[in-house]
Amino acid sequence: MEASLQTDLRYLKGVGEKRASLYAKLGLFTLEDLLRHYPRNYIDHSAPFPISAAPFGENCAVRARVVSKSGEQRIRKGLSLFKVLVTDGSADLYLTFFNARYTVSALKTEEEYLFYGRMGGKFTRREMASPLVISPEGEEAFSPVYPLTEGLTSRSVGANIRQALSLLEGRIPETLPPALRERFGLCGLEEALRCVHLPPSAGALEQARRRLIFEELFVLALALTRLKQHSGQTTGAPMRPAELSGFERLLPFSLTGAQRRAIGECFADLAGPRPMNRLVQGDVGSGKTMVAAAAVWFAAQNGYQSALMVPTEILAEQHFSTLSRLFEGSGLKVALLTGSVRAAQRELLLRELRQGDISLLIGTHALIQSGVDFHRLGLVVTDEQHRFGVSQRTALSQKGEAPHVLVLSATPIPRTLAFIIYGDLDISVIDELPAGRKSIKTYLIDPPKRQRACGFIRKYLDEGYQAYIVCPLVEQGEETAPGLLAAQEYAEQLSAREFAGYRVGLLHGRMKGAEKDSVMARFASGEIQLLVATTVIEVGVDVPNAVVMMIENAERFGLSQLHQLRGRVGRGEAQSHCILVSETPSPRLRAICRTNDGFAIAEEDLKLRGPGDFFGTRQHGLPRLKIADMAGDMELVRTTQDAAAWLLREDPELSAPENRALGGQVLQMLQKVTTG
Ligand code: ADP
Ligand code: MG
């Protein structure tokens, strides 16, 4: 039998049942899976550190000569220790190896090796535990470091990959059509795979990575476009136009220009022949809820029900109270379904839903459970969608017949990226805040100034306002970084000291839904003056009387997340303030003090961290990508989009022979996208 990409891994020398089961844990079964298991990092042999200059606490490579080796020391049963002293002339380095008799015995005194590991010890005695050992005569300039599971090493994975590459030499089918590769200057797949695993030079590695990142983003772009085309068949919920003024009569204020535009785009979609598939992106406080409300109203005028799904119970309650007030007297009945709705009430609610008495059902993912059946579901809205994947959106949509879909997102994403991440959606942007909104003043302070900041907060509490203090973690010991403040203990400390005599509340993600809701209700009613919380308050909470927020360990949050957090204040008439506390003031944190424009902040984030970061986090609900999170610049990302558009113009169905392989990749990606 000749090996092919689909050949089972056990075909390789040294891969028996045991090793195969380790690979299975990583989701690797075939030679192709293995070759697509890309290194997460590389050890650069060409530039080792002098031992005396290697940074403490960091992984580094040093080139050193073996001076002496200790014998085996048995620490306890099953654990033996070896010590090796090495030097490079600049300093000595003490290596320790555990259970590594073979590795240590292979080291020859007076020979030079590369050692790679975390530099430890102190200036007078540098140490490295369990370093990776690399013979310097190896032909590659870099050794790959692989994502592993217990029982596998980068060396053993590397050996299997080398064998796979040589077995398949000349037999790895190209996935990208030649014209495309030529047009965008991309190397072949086989060469790319070889170079990404065994890079002969930094330049070759760069070329290989470029090709593979390109391929992945390109396939993703094609898959999302396909999704858009397919979801774009005929709508199961045809609607007739309605006048916006009918909706506006319900509002206590007039719509902003941006809201009006977004609503106009929704109305046009809703009255069109295909299901709406639209993302409304807008900064916190820009009034996205009203856009959703308008669409719900439009559907109701046409006799259709709507569902609004949100990620938390708090947010569900809040929307319920806003929207039931808004629709009071308009004939639209609004209902709330969360995990904490009791059985009897739930029964009644579900019956009304089936009969079509309820026009809008608001809830958490309780909405996608079986037993929740609509009479005539025409519109599905999800709020703060970066918490939901395409699959959950789809599950809700399946409760209707190709209903219209509207997605609200408060995470402003630069247009170029939004196009990729939400490639299956049309996009409306709300880039204007309601009139009279004062922008939030943001300051960055170091921990010694915290006392003064607390005084500042007390002043506001004394005037009858409310405030938030946000910490990254729930309770002490959850993570060991020193100086990290934990909400639980911190709340106790604050109410005993800085805020003694004030009404302090605590809110965190480990609390039960009912408990959380009662804390939020007490904060909303003003009973709690100061709320100490983790990021659970991030989404949607609306208490206009809260005007100051202090965020501890601000460096732990992403810029966009900080921006979302601070959007909890600045919701009323009064000037609001946000105080960021950090021991490590960075340009990122300074940037967020300068602007209140979420899109500008997202652009800044993109510039500082590169697009890979957006693909690396799972916030956007895309499938885990294998290599795109290494994308270092937007240029490449843009190029893949252009390439996808170009190819689809040339061959919309990807049916030309040279595009067939690509078609297969796109199908696989589609499967991943839709099953989350
Ligand atoms: P977000 O976009 O963050 O979801 P919301 O929809 O919660 O924003 O709106 C924030 C606040 O602004 C709410 O209290 C809402 O009633 C109010 N609001 C929305 N649109 C307008 C408007 N056009 N004029 C005045 N206030 C508005
Ligand atoms: Mg909102």
Side-chain angles (χ1 to χ4, degrees):
M1 182 191 93
E2 280 208 309
S4 76
L5 282 173
Q6 279 66 53
T7 301
D8 194 287
L9 281 175
R10 280 168 292 195
Y11 184 84
L12 295 174
K13 258 194 292 217
V15 183
E17 290 307 320
K18 180 150 171 270
R19 172 88 54 100
S21 73
L22 295 176
Y23 278 130
K25 276 197 202 160
L26 294 172
L28 312 179
F29 303 93
T30 63
L31 296 187
E32 172 161 29
D33 296 341
L34 185 64
L35 293 182
R36 296 277 187 179
H37 189 59
Y38 305 125
R40 67 179 157 74
N41 208 344
Y42 298 86
I43 304 167
D44 184 351
H45 302 189
S46 59
F49 278 102
I51 293 175
S52 61
F56 282 102
E58 277 176 36
N59 280 325
C60 34
V62 300
R63 181 190 292 273
R65 175 170 57 82
V66 175
V67 178
S68 63
K69 302 197 280 185
S70 76
E72 178 171 356
Q73 291 172 312
R74 289 205 161 268
I75 298 193
R76 55 184 149 78
K77 196 164 182 296
L79 183 65
S80 62
L81 170 81
F82 299 85
K83 290 185 179 163
V84 178
L85 174 62
V86 302
T87 186
D88 67 354
S90 79
D92 291 346
L93 177 64
Y94 293 85
L95 307 178
T96 46
F97 292 89
F98 298 96
N99 291 347
R101 184 176 315 144
Y102 176 78
T103 309
V104 174
S105 66
L107 290 175
K108 297 200 187 76
T109 317
E110 291 305 315
E111 292 271 312
E112 264 196 355
Y113 300 88
L114 271 168
F115 300 100
Y116 177 83
R118 185 183 295 272
M119 185 56 66
K122 40 187 189 276
F123 278 108
T124 49
R125 183 189 162 91
R126 287 174 173 267
E127 299 169 351
M128 194 180 272
S130 310
L132 212 64
V133 181
I134 301 150
S135 306
E137 61 267 22
E139 69 276 26
E140 298 90 30
F142 300 89
S143 341
V145 180
Y146 288 99
L148 298 171
T149 184
E150 169 105 38
L152 286 173
T153 63
S154 278
R155 179 198 287 263
S156 58
V157 173
N160 292 146
I161 286 177
R162 264 194 297 274
Q163 204 204 339
L165 281 169
S166 75
L167 279 171
L168 295 174
E169 187 162 357
R171 270 184 289 144
I172 296 179
E174 180 56 53
T175 44
L176 298 179
L180 184 93
R181 275 173 41 211
E182 194 164 318
R183 191 183 173 101
F184 295 98
L186 303 167
C187 66
L189 177 58
E190 181 160 341
E191 186 187 342
L193 289 174
R194 183 172 303 279
C195 287
V196 85
H197 292 295
L198 309 166
S201 68
L205 173 59
E206 194 38 48
Q207 278 304 310
R209 279 230 285 232
R210 190 174 119 79
R211 141 85 209 213
L212 296 170
I213 293 169
F214 184 101
E215 179 179 334
E216 185 164 54
L217 291 175
F218 180 62
V219 168
L220 178 66
L222 291 173
L224 291 175
T225 312
R226 180 61 60 94
L227 203 60
K228 195 169 178 168
Q229 287 163 349
H230 281 232
S231 62
Q233 282 139 6
T234 33
T235 173
M239 297 186 193
R240 256 188 252 269
E243 283 301 319
L244 177 61
S245 55
F247 172 70
E248 279 183 298
R249 269 198 289 278
L250 305 172
L251 298 176
F253 42 68
S254 52
L255 294 168
T256 64
Q259 281 173 319
R260 206 177 290 262
R261 200 171 346 107
I263 292 172
E265 286 163 344
C266 290
F267 282 11
D269 288 351
L270 290 169
R274 291 178 307 170
M276 169 164 79
N277 227 345
R278 182 167 292 278
L279 170 74
V280 175
Q281 259 202 72
D283 227 330
V284 260
S286 61
K288 293 181 291 293
T289 314
M290 288 308 136
V291 177
V296 167
W297 175 84
F298 190 99
Q301 301 312 300
N302 280 280
Y304 285 100
Q305 295 171 295
S306 302
L308 168 57
M309 182 162 72
V310 301
T312 64
E313 298 212 352
I314 295 178
L315 197 53
E317 298 250 359
Q318 201 131 48
H319 277 319
F320 176 68
S321 90
T322 311
L323 294 175
S324 43
R325 216 176 318 132
L326 180 74
F327 289 129
E328 210 161 50
S330 74
L332 269 78
K333 181 161 180 180
V334 184
L336 177 69
L337 180 67
T338 63
S340 26
V341 172
R342 298 211 177 175
Q345 201 190 338
R346 193 185 141 91
E347 275 315 303
L348 180 68
L349 188 155
L350 292 180
R351 195 164 62 238
E352 287 182 338
L353 189 67
R354 274 195 301 275
Q355 289 167 353
D357 300 340
I358 292 172
S359 302
L360 169 62
L361 182 64
I362 301 175
T364 54
H365 27 274
L367 296 193
I368 52 184
Q369 288 162 357
S370 64
V372 181
D373 302 317
F374 292 78
H375 172 62
R376 215 171 165 225
L377 178 63
L379 170 67
V380 164
V381 187
T382 54
D383 192 7
E384 317 290 345
Q385 89 96 36
H386 61 284
R387 308 280 164 124
F388 296 117
V390 176
S391 54
Q392 276 162 308
R393 247 190 269 151
T394 313
L396 186 52
S397 291
Q398 274 158 1
K399 304 222 172 235
E401 239 175 273
H404 300 279
V405 172
L406 182 63
V407 176
L408 311 180
S409 169
T411 318
I413 292 177
R415 252 193 188 279
T416 34
L417 271 180
F419 187 66
I420 300 160
I421 290 175
Y422 300 111
D424 60 325
L425 302 171
D426 299 311
I427 299 177
S428 297
V429 171
I430 307 192
D431 51 5
E432 178 187 355
L433 294 183
R437 206 56 70 69
K438 291 206 177 71
S439 69
I440 302 159
K441 290 198 170 132
T442 303
Y443 323 89
L444 179 59
I445 64 169
D446 52 12
K449 298 225 180 67
R450 192 184 281 128
Q451 286 307 326
R452 270 182 57 194
C454 287
F456 180 80
I457 296 174
R458 281 196 302 270
K459 203 184 80 197
Y460 277 92
L461 301 187
D462 291 341
E463 286 174 26
Y465 290 109
Q466 290 161 280
Y468 298 98
I469 295 185
V470 181
C471 311
L473 298 174
V474 181
E475 60 210 335
Q476 215 70 273
E478 201 167 345
E479 202 168 325
T480 45
L484 265 182
L485 288 162
Q488 204 152 309
E489 256 121 276
Y490 193 39
E492 282 163 26
Q493 181 198 316
L494 288 171
S495 58
R497 291 191 230 153
E498 288 85 348
F499 294 94
Y502 293 87
R503 299 181 304 273
V504 179
L506 171 68
L507 186 74
H508 61 72
R510 296 263 182 86
M511 290 162 70
K512 295 225 172 65
E515 214 181 336
K516 266 193 259 185
D517 289 352
S518 109
V519 171
M520 260 335 283
R522 280 160 55 216
F523 187 61
S525 73
E527 186 192 325
I528 292 173
Q529 295 173 284
L530 173 67
L531 186 63
V532 180
T534 59
T535 52
V536 287
I537 57 154
E538 181 186 338
V539 253
V541 172
D542 190 10
V543 179
N545 193 45
V547 297
V548 189
M549 172 177 284
M550 179 157 91
I551 303 177
E552 297 283 357
N553 300 101
E555 72 284 351
R556 309 261 308 176
F557 300 96
L559 278 194
S560 296
Q561 199 183 11
L562 285 173
H563 180 62
Q564 289 226 336
L565 279 169
R566 82 175 160 186
R568 299 306 116 213
V569 296
R571 308 206 129 214
E573 301 292 302
Q575 174 64 54
S576 289
H577 304 269
C578 175
I579 306 162
L580 307 177
V581 186
S582 176
E583 269 170 8
T584 47
S586 62
R588 289 173 57 230
L589 294 179
R590 294 213 179 85
I592 201 171
C593 295
R594 279 196 304 271
T595 177
N596 268 296
D597 175 346
F599 283 93
I601 287 163
E603 290 285 356
E604 189 75 26
D605 233 357
L606 182 62
K607 252 194 284 169
L608 288 168
R609 302 197 291 176
D613 231 62
F614 284 86
F615 300 114
T617 60
R618 298 260 298 156
Q619 290 220 337
H620 43 62
L622 284 179
R624 185 173 297 291
L625 299 174
K626 281 178 183 292
I627 195 164
D629 57 357
M630 294 197 186
D633 63 75
M634 271 311 288
E635 207 41 54
L636 180 58
V637 177
R638 274 189 210 106
T639 310
T640 58
Q641 300 305 300
D642 295 345
W646 173 75
L647 188 69
L648 288 174
R649 266 198 311 275
E650 302 278 304
D651 180 10
E653 293 298 321
L654 301 182
S655 53
E658 70 273 19
N659 294 335
R660 292 250 176 82
L662 196 55
Q665 305 256 84
V666 171
L667 273 184
Q668 273 180 20
M669 181 64 89
L670 261 178
Q671 230 153 37
K672 280 202 271 177
V673 169
T674 48
T675 57

